[in-house]
Amino acid sequence: METIPCNTCGHQTFTSLFLKNSPLGETFSIVSCNQCGLVQVNPQPSLEAVKKYYDDSYFTQRTERGYDNYYSSELRKEISRVFQLNLKDLDFFKWEKNRKKQNDSGKTLSSLDIGCAAGYFVSYMKERGYEAKGIEIADGPVQFARESLGLSIFQDNFLEWDLGFKHQFDVITLWATIEHLHKPKETLEKIKKHLLPGGILILSTCRYGLLAKRKGLHWRYLNVPEHLYYYSFKGLKQVLVSLGYHSPNAFTYGSGLTSRKNASLFFRLAKIFCDRFVKWFQMGDMMVFSVVKD
C-alpha cells in the first residue's frame, strides 16, 4: 500500500470518504482529492496486490463485483447488446462509414480493445471486418479468447506494451476499464500515440455523480480494490481535454436498477422509466465518451 499523488492533478492532500472491506478482508480507504475532486482508492495497492482479485472466480462466480459465468453465451449476448447500444448513441457507425470512405489506401481498419477480458468486443470488431486485437492481463480470459474464439490477444500491461509504438489503430476502446487502472492518465496519453490521425477513442466507466453520492458506501460500483478511480462526468472530460483530446462526445446512462430474473411487471416498468429519465437528464451512474484524434 502506497500513498500516491492524485493521478489527475498531482495534488497530495485528500478528504476521506469511506473505508470499505474487500472480499478478502482487506480494508481500503476511498478519498477525494482536495484540488480536483477525483475520488480514488488511496493509499493504493500495487498491481501485484490487486491481481489476486482477478482469479477465475471473478469471472465465474456471481458476487457484487464479479460475473455469473462471464463465458456463458447469455452474458456474452448481454454485454454485446450494451456496447452496441453505446456505439449507436455515440454515432460510431456514422464515423465508421466516413472512415471507410476516406480510406484511400484500401487498408483494413484496425482496432484495439484495452482490458478486453474474454474478447467479446474484439470478436465483434473482427466480424465487422476489422483487423481486431485486444490486450488483457488476466490468464483465464486470455486463454478463452485465444483458444475458444481464435482471437489475437496480447497478454501484457498496456503501459509496458509496444513502447516503440509500432502498432497503430483506427479504433481504441476502454470498455469499463479505466477505473481498474493504476495510471489512467498515463494510459490515455499513450493511447493517443497509438491512434492514427482521425482515429477514435471510445471509453466507458462508472460515474461518480448524484446516484453514487446518494448511495454512499452501498453504491453498486464501489468495488475495492478492483476499482481504483471514480471519475465525475466533468472531471473525466477535463482530463481528456487537458491531454489534447478535443470536443469529446459523451452521455450517461444507468439508474442503478439492475435487471432481475423473474422481475415483477412493476419493477420492469420502473426500471424502464428510471433508465430513460437518468439518460435524458445526464444523471446516470455510467458514462461513455468518444473523441476523434486530430
Side-chain angles (χ1 to χ4, degrees), residues 30-241:
I30 301 164
V31 302
S32 174
C33 174
N34 288 345
Q35 180 69 24
C36 70
L38 176 63
V39 176
Q40 57 201 271
V41 173
N42 210 345
Q44 200 171 96
S46 67
L47 177 59
E48 289 301 318
V50 174
K51 273 185 177 180
K52 62 179 177 283
Y53 287 89
Y54 294 103
D55 62 14
D56 279 346
S57 65
Y58 179 83
F59 295 95
T60 58
Q61 297 176 19
R62 164 56 65 184
T63 68
E64 66 171 357
R65 68 231 310 127
Y67 299 92
D68 184 9
N69 190 4
Y70 187 87
Y71 307 114
S72 69
S73 59
E74 292 80 7
L75 190 57
R76 180 180 180 180
K77 288 178 183 177
E78 175 59 18
I79 291 172
S80 298
R81 182 187 71 84
V82 171
F83 65 61
Q84 288 182 70
L85 285 174
N86 289 342
L87 293 175
K88 182 180 178 181
D89 286 337
L90 291 170
D91 287 330
F92 170 78
F93 301 111
K94 181 179 179 181
W95 172 90
E96 181 185 69
K97 184 178 180 180
N98 290 335
R99 185 71 167 178
K100 288 180 178 178
K101 285 182 179 178
Q102 297 164 2
N103 186 14
D104 297 331
S105 66
K107 183 180 178 183
T108 302
L109 297 185
S110 57
S111 67
L112 176 69
D113 188 26
I114 300 171
C116 67
Y120 297 148
F121 188 70
V122 181
S123 179
Y124 172 76
M125 295 298 274
K126 183 178 180 181
E127 290 169 1
R128 293 189 68 80
Y130 283 75
E131 183 182 339
K133 300 182 184 299
I135 186 165
E136 172 62 50
I137 63 171
D139 294 335
V142 169
Q143 183 178 357
F144 179 87
R146 289 173 174 172
E147 297 180 3
S148 298
L149 301 181
L151 300 175
S152 177
I153 307 296
F154 303 103
Q155 187 168 15
D156 207 342
N157 179 341
F158 174 72
L159 284 178
E160 298 172 358
W161 168 80
D162 189 19
L163 298 180
F165 302 100
K166 295 179 181 178
H167 293 88
Q168 299 286 299
F169 302 92
D170 296 281
V171 181
I172 297 181
T173 51
L174 287 159
W175 295 110
T177 294
I178 196 169
E179 66 271 19
H180 294 259
L181 304 178
H182 281 74
K183 295 183 178 181
K185 189 174 181 179
E186 291 83 349
T187 297
L188 292 172
E189 287 181 303
K190 188 170 188 285
I191 285 172
K192 196 174 182 185
K193 296 177 182 178
H194 285 286
L195 269 178
L196 290 164
I200 190 170
L201 163 65
I202 297 173
L203 68 91
S204 68
T205 186
C206 50
R207 175 201 184 185
Y208 199 83
L210 181 64
L211 293 177
K213 293 173 183 176
R214 181 175 176 272
K215 287 288 186 178
L217 192 59
H218 303 291
W219 182 41
R220 59 177 175 163
Y221 294 122
L222 206 64
N223 299 332
V224 295
E226 299 98 312
H227 292 178
L228 297 171
Y229 291 99
Y230 303 90
Y231 289 93
S232 68
F233 186 81
K234 180 180 178 181
L236 184 53
K237 183 177 180 179
Q238 288 177 338
V239 171
L240 289 168
V241 170

